[in-house]
Amino acid sequence: MNMRTIGFRIASVVFGLMAVAHLLRLICHVAVMVGHHLIPMWTSGVGVVVAAALSIWLWKLSNR
């Protein structure tokens, strides 16, 4: 396994964990505030889709 493959797999796992974190936020209805602004729940829906897609894409690239 070369360094590029390892890098793709590590990035894939990180994005996968981010997708799981967004999914848990949606399931548990956790409120997130940045300063005085409440972050809407729909942003986690977008986050799940984007992070999962990147995770799958990078994993596939690591298998080439």
Side-chain angles (χ1 to χ4, degrees):
M1 209 181 295
N2 61 17
M3 293 301 287
R4 187 175 189 172
T5 301
I6 293 169
F8 281 151
R9 290 202 177 168
I10 290 171
S12 175
V13 169
V14 169
F15 279 117
L17 291 173
M18 292 297 291
V20 170
H22 280 293
L23 188 61
L24 285 174
R25 179 180 180 228
L26 286 172
I27 292 170
C28 298
H29 301 286
V30 176
V32 175
M33 291 195 71
V34 177
H36 296 289
H37 301 286
L38 182 65
I39 306 299
M41 294 296 283
W42 66 265
T43 57
S44 282
V46 173
V48 167
V49 172
V50 170
L54 286 171
S55 177
I56 293 167
W57 179 52
L58 285 170
W59 192 266
K60 287 182 178 182
L61 281 177
S62 74
N63 286 331
R64 285 188 180 178

